[in-house]
């Protein structure tokens, strides 16, 4: 990844590529959520992503900050449920914290602020079998190296798989207690697919 952030045209491509990947795993996400939740994570994410596709031409891609804020607002208003508020808060706070500059390092700092806001909203942290088990360590990996995006994607897959052996302590899955162990967390899997799709889109069109 170069030292200046993604140009507007590429950002639009990355967004489109990523939302299409998430829409494509709707059934998989629903069945993961059926096992330990209420079965709607795929429908929720797909609704949010379809809304992003419908509104893509209204997004001002020349400002990275505005792009993230628009994504967050659309996700919050279209998804509902825990994941809409959590992903929405993440993207809005990334956008709000991109105002100081648009280099890769500015982006990493903004992501840190976005994840912090998510943790405050969910009163959650890592090792509770949630999307944070992918997002927090991926950010740490990005801080160390920003060049090998295939390696970032590989680690995101391992991180999401690591939620299988965890006991859920947040969200609906926590009602199951020990019975949540042995299942992949749906939110961790949607985060994996989001991270991997962004890496793939940047690698193929970098
Ligand atoms: P809902 O639980 O309202 O049905 P979804 O099914 O769309 O919402 O999303 C469930 C996912 O949200 C979980 O798999 C988990 O990763 C994530 N999640 C739930 N509660 C929290 C929380 N407090 N903090 C972080 N992530 C959470
Ligand atoms: Mg659910």
């Amino acid at each position: 990844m170069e030292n200046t952030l993604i140009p507007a045209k590429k950002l639009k491509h990355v967004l489109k590529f990523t939302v299409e990947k998430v829409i494509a795993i709707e059934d998989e996400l629903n069945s993961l959520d059926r096992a330990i939740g209420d079965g709607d994570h795929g429908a929720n994410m797909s609704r949010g992503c379809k809304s992003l596709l419908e509104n893509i031409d209204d997004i001002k891609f020349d400002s990275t900050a505005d792009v993230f804020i628009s994504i967050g607002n659309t996700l919050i208003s279209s998804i509902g449920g825990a994941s809409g508020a959590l992903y929405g808060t993440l993207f809005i706070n990334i956008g709000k914290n991109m105002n100081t500059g648009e280099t890769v390092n500015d982006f990493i700092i903004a992501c840190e602020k976005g994840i912090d806001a998510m943790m405050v909203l969910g009163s959650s942290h890592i090792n509770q079998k949630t999307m944070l088990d992918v997002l927090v360590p991926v950010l740490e990996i990005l801080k160390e190296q920003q060049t090998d995006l295939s390696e970032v994607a590989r680690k995101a897959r391992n991180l999401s798989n690591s939620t299988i052996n965890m006991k859920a302590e947040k969200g609906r899955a926590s009602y199951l207690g020990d019975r949540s162990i042995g299942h992949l967390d749906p939110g961790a899997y949607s985060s994996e697919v989001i991270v991997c799709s962004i890496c793939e889109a940047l690698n193929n069109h970098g």
Side-chain angles (χ1 to χ4, degrees), residues 33 38 40-41 44 81-83 86 122 124 130-131 171-172 185-187:
D33 197 30
D38 57 355
D40 65 354
H41 189 53
N44 285 342
S83 55
L86 289 161
S124 41
T130 71
M131 39 185 83
R172 292 174 199 277
D185 177 62

Side-chain angles (χ1 to χ4, degrees), residues 59-114:
I59 298 177
K60 295 188 196 76
F61 280 94
D62 45 357
S63 156
T64 314
D66 285 354
V67 173
F68 281 102
I69 293 171
S70 298
I71 293 172
N73 282 328
T74 302
L75 294 180
I76 288 185
S77 59
S78 59
I79 295 185
S83 55
L86 289 161
Y87 278 126
T89 297
L90 171 69
F91 287 112
I92 288 174
N93 281 278
I94 292 176
K96 281 187 177 163
N97 287 287
M98 284 297 297
N99 291 331
T100 46
E102 300 217 336
T103 68
V104 174
N105 282 337
D106 294 321
F107 177 65
I108 287 173
I109 292 165
C111 285
E112 197 154 38
K113 300 260 171 66

Side-chain angles (χ1 to χ4, degrees), residues 148-164:
D148 188 352
L149 294 179
S150 304
E151 179 62 8
V152 174
R154 196 185 64 77
K155 287 192 171 145
R157 278 190 286 276
N158 289 343
L159 287 162
S160 133
N161 281 328
S162 75
T163 65
I164 294 174

Side-chain angles (χ1 to χ4, degrees), residues 17-18 21-22 25 28-29 32 41 45 87 90-91 118 130-138 149-164 184-201:
F17 185 86
T18 302
K21 289 275 187 189
V22 175
I25 56 157
E28 249 180 297
L29 290 174
L32 290 174
H41 189 53
M45 294 304 292
Y87 278 126
L90 171 69
F91 287 112
M118 239 179 142
T130 71
M131 39 185 83
L132 291 170
D133 293 313
V134 171
L135 299 174
V136 172
V138 159
L149 294 179
S150 304
E151 179 62 8
V152 174
R154 196 185 64 77
K155 287 192 171 145
R157 278 190 286 276
N158 289 343
L159 287 162
S160 133
N161 281 328
S162 75
T163 65
I164 294 174
L184 176 62
D185 177 62
Y189 185 53
S190 61
S191 287
E192 172 202 316
V193 170
I194 291 169
V195 169
C196 290
S197 304
I198 294 171
C199 291
E200 193 183 335

